[in-house]
Amino acid sequence: YMRDIAAGTDGAIVSVSHAELVAAREMLHDLENLDVGHSSAATIAALRNEAAARRITPDQVVLVNLTGRDRPRTHRGSQ
């Protein structure tokens, strides 16, 4: 289902490494004081990678939905 949506809208499904996810999570905390969960951090990491690869250009508008937050028992930067 998601693959069909991506293909039908000239989108893509991408993956990120654990290190990229952790870096994005730290960035969101440092810049925006947001304590997001792993899925939101993965979204930001993927967006950063796509922009670095110039598949997203500075003039494009991108909406990113960040949901959830880290559980209190999980420390930032840990698995």
Side-chain angles (χ1 to χ4, degrees), residues 1-2 16 18 20 28 34 38 46 50 59 61 66 69 71-72 76:
Y1 174 77
M2 294 304 292
V16 298
H18 184 263
E20 291 167 329
L28 284 170
L34 294 175
H38 289 91
E50 293 298 292
D59 63 325
V61 176
L66 302 178
R69 72 177 236 225
R71 295 182 187 142
R76 266 185 332 109

Side-chain angles (χ1 to χ4, degrees), residues 12-21 41-50 55:
I13 297 173
V14 299
S15 64
V16 298
S17 70
H18 184 263
E20 291 167 329
L21 181 150
T43 300
I44 296 299
L47 182 63
R48 291 177 72 186
N49 290 349
E50 293 298 292
R55 289 185 288 267

Side-chain angles (χ1 to χ4, degrees), residues 8-63:
T9 59
D10 294 326
I13 297 173
V14 299
S15 64
V16 298
S17 70
H18 184 263
E20 291 167 329
L21 181 150
V22 170
R25 194 164 177 229
E26 293 287 330
M27 181 190 73
L28 284 170
H29 184 267
D30 293 345
L31 295 178
E32 301 294 337
N33 199 31
L34 294 175
D35 188 18
V36 301
H38 289 91
S39 60
S40 292
T43 300
I44 296 299
L47 182 63
R48 291 177 72 186
N49 290 349
E50 293 298 292
R54 299 179 190 240
R55 289 185 288 267
I56 297 173
T57 60
D59 63 325
Q60 288 180 294
V61 176
V62 177
L63 171 67

